[in-house]
Amino acid sequence: MYIKGAVEGAANTESGSRVFVYEVVGLRQSEETDKTSYQIRNSGSVFIRVPYNRMNQEMRRITRLGGKIVSIQPLSAVDQLNGKASTSNATSGETANIANGKATPVAEQQANKKDKEGNTMTQAKAKKDAHADVPVNIYRPNAPFVGKCISNEALVQEGGIGIVQHLKFDISGGDLRYIEGQSIGIIPPGVDKNGKPEKLRLYSIASTRHGDDVDDKTVSLCVRQLEYKHPETGETVYGVCSTHLCFLKPGDDVKITGPVGKEMLLPADPDAKVIMMATGTGIAPMRAYLWRMFKDNERAANPEYQFNGFAWLIFGIPTTPNIIYKQELEEIQQKYPDNFRLTYAISREQKNAQGGRMYIQDRVAEHADELWQLIKEEKTHTYICGLRGMEDGIDAALTAAAAKEGVTWSDYQKNLKKAGRWHVETY
């Protein structure tokens, strides 16, 4: 899945070589977004490129938005943000990718949530302890790991829409380590419109820490080829990195950076309840979670983690042939009916209560009361990955459910975030 960052640098124009990188924590998107009732993702650290002649102006903007500058370095010193933020080719239409390939500037999110004394949601402290040794940025853009494509398999069945591929890379020749919920960067070959080397795009990892072969030698991605019509010319434009990946052949080299990210990590508690809401290639991290929870080989490889809790996936796709990993999902549902629940929202085939298309937010609305009861339990973590457009509808449904008990959902959701129980990666 391709990942777009939550905060885009306000100063992306460079004045000669005098460009600096601000590392900022606690930044919100804008004063206006603070007034909304739906979630705006915050980053633990974001990296912003600032021309010399805008440094003071950018400092004031960051302060106004509640951010704190923790370091300032010349751009050359950190080599294009060391993989923690990248700017996509403006003409490619791609954004940096969480789920699967939509490219624009990307700011890596490392949400280091802090627990509050006396907070009844005690999962935050457990999360901090469990994730203290999470690997981050083992490989950087100036020295990426060069892996090999092992396989590249189509995930869209006949009659489906678009191209979505499952790619498996050999990483046995290096030291790349990762855990479920993280992302890696991919640097496509070639140069951009300015003649400079292409920058990395981020993609959510679709495999567990042990890889699809459970031998600690591979990493897998779920990638959709970005395709859209140019708004002025009407010509078809394809994403640079997503196209590169979707047409890799076994044996081809691939430049990998990372891993990055701590926002989407699973709780260490094997009795946790996990709600997953995904659209399209937002299924990538969810697949990694489900493999870790339920796959026989994975369970054998993780004697310290034997999942006994409950997982519920609500998955939005346009057509039945577009149900990514359909066989895997339904096999898990059949084998673990008491521990895994699978709900599809197939927009072009199913109707919502109003007779319109069935989107993931409509499914959430159908089950809002049940989801609300689950969310209130301290062992429940919620993960949302995919298109940002679903967030408003999800919040609206849960607002209505919470209001029946006199609870303001927006306030309650803030407490969930502070407790490290509400995880979002959208683009």
Side-chain angles (χ1 to χ4, degrees), residues 370-387:
E370 189 175 1
L371 287 166
W372 167 240
Q373 296 305 318
L374 275 174
I375 289 169
K376 288 192 298 179
E377 297 185 31
E378 280 196 9
K379 285 183 176 289
T380 299
H381 285 246
T382 301
Y383 296 82
I384 300 175
C385 194
L387 295 173

Side-chain angles (χ1 to χ4, degrees), residues 305-413:
Y305 179 82
Q306 298 294 299
F307 186 72
N308 299 308
F310 174 72
W312 185 357
L313 171 63
I314 304 176
F315 188 17
I317 55 279
T319 69
T320 296
N322 284 92
I323 301 176
I324 302 169
Y325 305 118
K326 183 176 186 290
Q327 182 176 347
E328 290 183 13
L329 296 175
E330 294 177 2
E331 284 179 354
I332 293 172
Q333 183 186 42
Q334 183 177 11
K335 187 171 182 178
Y336 294 93
D338 297 329
N339 301 93
F340 178 51
R341 181 171 175 179
L342 176 61
T343 304
Y344 294 133
I346 308 176
S347 62
R348 303 195 184 191
E349 298 175 9
Q350 299 172 335
K351 300 294 184 182
N352 61 24
Q354 291 74 41
R357 288 186 173 184
M358 174 64 74
Y359 294 108
I360 191 168
Q361 51 265 40
D362 299 310
R363 284 292 186 217
V364 173
E366 282 184 2
H367 301 288
D369 291 340
E370 189 175 1
L371 287 166
W372 167 240
Q373 296 305 318
L374 275 174
I375 289 169
K376 288 192 298 179
E377 297 185 31
E378 280 196 9
K379 285 183 176 289
T380 299
H381 285 246
T382 301
Y383 296 82
I384 300 175
C385 194
L387 295 173
R388 182 172 293 140
M390 65 176 152
E391 291 184 64
D392 289 1
I394 289 170
D395 283 326
L398 294 173
T399 295
K404 295 177 183 179
E405 298 180 9
V407 176
T408 301
W409 168 248
S410 58
D411 293 338
Y412 194 89
Q413 186 187 56

Side-chain angles (χ1 to χ4, degrees), residues 75-361:
L75 179 62
S76 58
V78 289
D79 189 36
Q80 298 294 325
L81 309 189
N82 281 334
K84 293 183 179 171
S86 64
T87 305
S88 64
N89 184 340
T91 62
S92 73
E94 272 190 41
T95 61
N97 174 56
I98 289 190
N100 174 269
K102 315 242 179 310
T104 60
V106 175
E108 182 215 345
Q109 301 197 11
Q110 297 182 348
N112 298 315
K113 309 283 186 179
K114 293 183 179 179
D115 196 8
K116 284 189 174 181
E117 292 295 330
N119 194 320
T120 57
M121 298 180 182
T122 57
Q123 291 297 316
K125 190 173 190 305
K127 177 184 177 183
K128 180 180 178 182
D129 293 340
H131 300 153
D133 59 350
V134 173
V136 176
N137 287 322
I138 297 171
Y139 290 94
R140 298 178 182 270
N142 61 330
F145 172 73
V146 180
K148 292 280 187 185
C149 177
I150 295 175
S151 61
N152 186 355
E153 300 175 354
L155 293 174
V156 176
Q157 303 302 310
E158 184 177 354
I161 300 168
I163 296 174
V164 182
Q165 302 292 119
H166 179 80
L167 295 116
K168 183 167 63 173
F169 304 131
D170 181 356
I171 58 173
S172 61
D175 190 37
L176 183 63
R177 306 178 310 279
Y178 60 91
I179 63 175
E180 301 77 21
Q182 290 193 290
S183 303
I184 55 173
I186 301 294
I187 304 176
V191 296
D192 62 19
K193 65 174 184 177
N194 298 315
K196 296 182 178 180
E198 288 285 355
K199 295 181 175 66
L200 68 86
R201 278 73 161 173
L202 293 176
Y203 291 83
S204 293
I205 297 170
S207 53
T208 71
R209 67 192 69 186
H210 302 300
D212 286 352
D213 301 325
V214 198
D215 59 5
D216 301 315
K217 295 180 179 180
T218 68
V219 64
S220 296
L221 298 180
C222 171
V223 179
R224 180 182 70 85
Q225 184 189 29
L226 176 64
E227 177 183 348
Y228 67 98
K229 296 291 184 182
H230 192 284
E232 296 179 358
T233 66
E235 66 177 329
T236 300
V237 181
Y238 298 97
V240 172
C241 193
S242 61
T243 299
H244 164 63
L245 288 172
C246 284
F247 293 94
L248 280 178
K249 296 180 176 62
D252 286 349
D253 288 343
V254 58
K255 293 181 179 179
I256 301 173
T257 68
V260 297
K262 296 184 180 181
E263 170 63 21
M264 296 289 285
L265 307 186
L266 275 177
D269 183 4
D271 296 318
K273 295 185 178 181
V274 180
I275 298 169
M276 298 168 282
M277 305 177 193
T279 60
T281 53
I283 192 66
M286 315 306 182
R287 177 187 187 257
Y289 304 157
L290 292 171
W291 270 52
R292 180 162 173 80
M293 292 172 183
F294 298 114
K295 279 288 187 175
D296 290 342
N297 289 347
E298 270 293 326
R299 291 173 70 89
N302 300 290
E304 78 290 352
Y305 179 82
Q306 298 294 299
F307 186 72
N308 299 308
F310 174 72
W312 185 357
L313 171 63
I314 304 176
F315 188 17
I317 55 279
T319 69
T320 296
N322 284 92
I323 301 176
I324 302 169
Y325 305 118
K326 183 176 186 290
Q327 182 176 347
E328 290 183 13
L329 296 175
E330 294 177 2
E331 284 179 354
I332 293 172
Q333 183 186 42
Q334 183 177 11
K335 187 171 182 178
Y336 294 93
D338 297 329
N339 301 93
F340 178 51
R341 181 171 175 179
L342 176 61
T343 304
Y344 294 133
I346 308 176
S347 62
R348 303 195 184 191
E349 298 175 9
Q350 299 172 335
K351 300 294 184 182
N352 61 24
Q354 291 74 41
R357 288 186 173 184
M358 174 64 74
Y359 294 108
I360 191 168
Q361 51 265 40

